[in-house]
Amino acid sequence: MAHFTHHSEENYLKALYKLSYSTVKKVNNTALSQLIGHNPATVLEMVRKLVGKNLVTTLPNKSLKLTPSGEKKALLIIRKHRLWEVFLTEKLNYSWNEVHVLAEQLEHIESNDLVDRLEKYLGFPAVDPHGDTIPDKKGKLKVQESIPLENAVAGKNYRILNLADTNDVFLQYLEKLNIRPGKKIKLVSRNQYDNSVMIMLLKKIIPLSEKVTKNILVEPA
Amino acid sequence: MAHFTHHSEENYLKALYKLSYSTVKKVNNTALSQLIGHNPATVLEMVRKLVGKNLVTTLPNKSLKLTPSGEKKALLIIRKHRLWEVFLTEKLNYSWNEVHVLAEQLEHIESNDLVDRLEKYLGFPAVDPHGDTIPDKKGKLKVQESIPLENAVAGKNYRILNLADTNDVFLQYLEKLNIRPGKKIKLVSRNQYDNSVMIMLLKKIIPLSEKVTKNILVEPA
DNA sequence: AAAAATAATTTGGGAAACCAAATAAAAATA
DNA sequence: TATTTTTATTTGGTTTCCCAAATTATTTTT
């Protein structure tokens, strides 16, 4: 039986992925045990199973690493998690700090097609409510370099990277507002009615229309 | 740990609920084993556990019955199942005959709040895509008085409520004819020879065999 | 009622995920 | 380097949900 094996297995993969990008000096059995809150013996057992499935490798110094296929699996789970989080906040009005627990359950629903449809339904969001980028259906995570300000998250800080429209009027308009690549801003709020936003730049609040936010590329800062 | 115990348990409750409203003469261990596809020994074990939790009782003649609290639990699972089915068809464009498998997974997500919000988001639908009524958040199911189209009266208007056969071929046949729960039809005439009927749907006359009319449930409209 | 058929129950296992406690190995420190 | 501390591994459990095969009711049929 397929059972809910995958449930546990997926949690291990996700944890290993997290650790690999965390500040933990060494991703070993102890670190993994602590993160997922299971006994080291249990963790060892599971890791061996994952090694057997070619999802994880243990380096000579005993630190753990996802194989390419393991990493892909992890990213596909993270994709599900983040898309469900978007759904919960955007459609069901959950606040962004209460969605995590629910998404932990939803991420284990077995159907890639379902998540692909969900993504489409949500309008292909670039980031989840926490501002983390969402891997694509192949498990590729775009390096977070640039997202349109349109898809940015209220309350977060950003650095302006690029302007996607070379129209002169547009550029001069931004210039007057002191908006240009390199500047640091905070997305204060978004108006659901017309998708305009308020940003804060150098202590000043500035309103920007949807058309403008579509053409300002930023990165989290 | 709470684990996924509930997952299996919930399936048993749901199965018992289904059986109690089916045409099965006696809801006993054998019937339950066959419906859920598990070994009789396994089923006996689970039933005993459920009896211990006061969710099921065994009558002196060994037939099984849900207690009030067991039935409520069952109905709350069915509520989740049906609301998720509505979501999948209405929002993610699944066709109504492919949502069942996915809803089987989604119905086990633990959060009543989530389903309540989902219900609100979907506009408090009365029925799922198959035409089955959705229990309310207290586990109450409104009774719908439906009659098979077979027994309907020529010349009267009806609304299709439900389809009594889940056979795929049957469902696809109806799908092609645009016949599904919610549609309004008129019974134009009945052929005494073979008990076939003519119905009118959207100005078009459609013939239906006796076998088909036995499995289409309608209410006067 | 006796035989046959059917249903319920018991018995002995199995796999998956867990754990605590003991031991072995490795790393850090004195 | 010797000692201590930390980490990895082994060993011997546990629980949950599942199975097949044997046994014991219980019903049905003859």
Side-chain angles (χ1 to χ4, degrees):
Chain A
M1 292 290 91
H3 252 324
F4 312 116
T5 307
H6 72 281
H7 206 310
S8 178
E9 197 174 294
E10 287 181 357
N11 285 334
Y12 277 85
L13 293 175
K14 215 174 40 150
L16 279 169
Y17 182 85
K18 260 186 208 156
L19 282 175
S20 75
Y21 285 91
S22 73
T23 55
V24 171
K25 50 265 139 199
K26 211 180 154 199
V27 181
N28 54 16
N29 201 293
T30 316
L32 187 53
S33 308
Q34 282 177 342
L35 180 59
I36 61 183
H38 286 160
N39 189 288
T42 306
V43 172
L44 183 63
E45 189 177 84
M46 275 300 289
V47 164
R48 279 177 177 156
K49 182 185 299 180
L50 295 172
V51 168
K53 288 187 172 187
N54 196 34
L55 298 170
V56 171
T57 46
T58 56
L59 304 182
N61 68 331
K62 309 246 166 173
S63 77
L64 305 169
K65 206 164 86 74
L66 290 170
T67 64
S69 83
E71 178 159 310
K72 181 177 176 182
K73 274 209 166 195
L75 281 164
L76 288 177
I77 300 155
I78 290 167
R79 166 180 165 78
K80 291 193 206 173
H81 183 99
R82 293 183 180 166
L83 282 168
W84 279 114
E85 283 195 342
V86 174
F87 171 73
L88 293 171
T89 52
E90 303 255 309
K91 304 298 186 185
L92 301 193
N93 284 109
Y94 277 98
S95 75
W96 64 285
N97 46 303
E98 46 183 352
V99 292
H100 194 263
V101 190
L102 290 170
E104 294 263 272
Q105 288 187 68
L106 289 161
E107 75 192 5
H108 298 296
I109 299 293
E110 275 183 291
S111 169
N112 290 326
D113 179 53
L114 172 55
V115 195
D116 294 348
R117 286 179 189 234
L118 187 64
E119 181 183 38
K120 185 180 176 191
Y121 176 60
L122 297 170
F124 295 95
V127 295
D128 75 8
H130 305 279
D132 296 311
T133 66
I134 297 171
D136 70 17
K137 65 170 72 175
K138 286 180 178 164
K140 297 287 179 191
L141 192 57
K142 214 178 286 163
V143 192
Q144 207 162 39
E145 297 181 86
S146 95
I147 59 169
L149 183 54
E150 175 194 24
N151 296 336
V153 178
K156 297 260 177 190
N157 293 302
Y158 295 92
R159 176 180 298 105
I160 296 175
L161 279 183
N162 212 335
L163 304 172
D165 191 339
T166 56
N167 179 289
D168 240 350
V169 180
F170 175 62
L171 295 179
Q172 279 164 27
Y173 168 66
L174 295 186
E175 190 57 36
K176 232 183 292 178
L177 294 173
N178 213 3
I179 295 173
R180 57 171 162 271
K183 288 283 178 181
K184 285 180 188 171
I185 63 170
K186 179 180 188 169
L187 209 190
V188 177
S189 65
R190 167 176 283 111
N191 182 341
Q192 296 289 25
Y193 178 63
D194 63 0
N195 276 318
S196 67
V197 301
M198 293 291 191
I199 65 165
M200 164 117 71
L201 192 162
L202 301 170
K203 320 268 192 216
K204 283 199 325 200
I205 301 283
I206 302 170
L208 295 176
S209 74
E210 181 179 20
K211 185 165 182 195
V212 169
T213 60
K214 275 182 194 295
N215 290 299
I216 296 177
L217 301 180
V218 299
E219 70 171 1
Chain B
M1 291 292 92
H3 250 322
F4 313 116
T5 307
H6 70 282
H7 206 310
S8 179
E9 196 174 295
E10 287 181 357
N11 285 334
Y12 277 84
L13 294 176
K14 215 174 42 150
L16 279 169
Y17 182 85
K18 259 186 208 155
L19 282 176
S20 76
Y21 285 91
S22 74
T23 56
V24 171
K25 49 268 137 196
K26 212 182 156 198
V27 180
N28 55 15
N29 202 293
T30 314
L32 186 53
S33 309
Q34 282 177 342
L35 180 59
I36 62 183
H38 285 161
N39 189 289
T42 306
V43 172
L44 183 62
E45 189 178 85
M46 276 301 289
V47 164
R48 278 176 179 161
K49 184 186 297 178
L50 294 173
V51 168
K53 288 186 172 187
N54 196 35
L55 298 170
V56 171
T57 45
T58 56
L59 304 182
N61 67 330
K62 307 243 169 178
S63 77
L64 304 168
K65 206 164 87 72
L66 290 170
T67 64
S69 84
E71 178 159 310
K72 182 178 177 183
K73 274 209 166 198
L75 280 164
L76 288 178
I77 300 155
I78 289 167
R79 166 179 165 80
K80 292 194 207 174
H81 183 98
R82 294 183 179 168
L83 283 169
W84 279 115
E85 283 196 341
V86 174
F87 171 73
L88 292 171
T89 52
E90 303 257 306
K91 304 297 185 184
L92 300 193
N93 284 108
Y94 275 98
S95 77
W96 59 293
N97 43 307
E98 49 184 349
V99 293
H100 194 262
V101 190
L102 290 171
E104 294 262 273
Q105 288 187 67
L106 289 161
E107 75 192 5
H108 299 295
I109 300 293
E110 274 183 292
S111 168
N112 289 327
D113 179 54
L114 171 55
V115 195
D116 294 347
R117 286 180 189 233
L118 187 64
E119 181 182 38
K120 186 181 175 190
Y121 176 60
L122 296 170
F124 296 94
V127 295
D128 75 7
H130 303 279
D132 296 312
T133 64
I134 297 172
D136 70 17
K137 65 170 72 174
K138 286 180 178 164
K140 297 288 178 192
L141 190 60
K142 209 178 289 162
V143 190
Q144 65 179 18
E145 3 83 33
S146 62
I147 57 169
L149 182 54
E150 179 192 23
N151 298 336
V153 180
K156 297 256 176 193
N157 291 304
Y158 295 91
R159 175 181 297 106
I160 296 175
L161 279 183
N162 208 336
L163 304 171
D165 190 343
T166 57
N167 179 288
D168 236 22
V169 180
F170 175 63
L171 295 179
Q172 278 164 28
Y173 169 65
L174 297 185
E175 185 65 31
K176 236 183 288 179
L177 294 174
N178 213 7
I179 294 174
R180 58 169 160 271
K183 290 282 178 183
K184 286 177 188 171
I185 62 171
K186 179 179 188 170
L187 210 190
V188 178
S189 64
R190 167 174 284 108
N191 181 342
Q192 298 289 24
Y193 176 64
D194 64 356
N195 274 318
S196 69
V197 301
M198 292 292 190
I199 65 165
M200 164 116 71
L201 191 162
L202 300 170
K203 321 269 191 214
K204 284 199 325 201
I205 300 284
I206 303 170
L208 296 175
S209 73
E210 179 179 19
K211 183 165 183 196
V212 169
T213 61
K214 276 182 193 292
N215 288 298
I216 297 179
L217 302 179
V218 299
E219 70 172 359

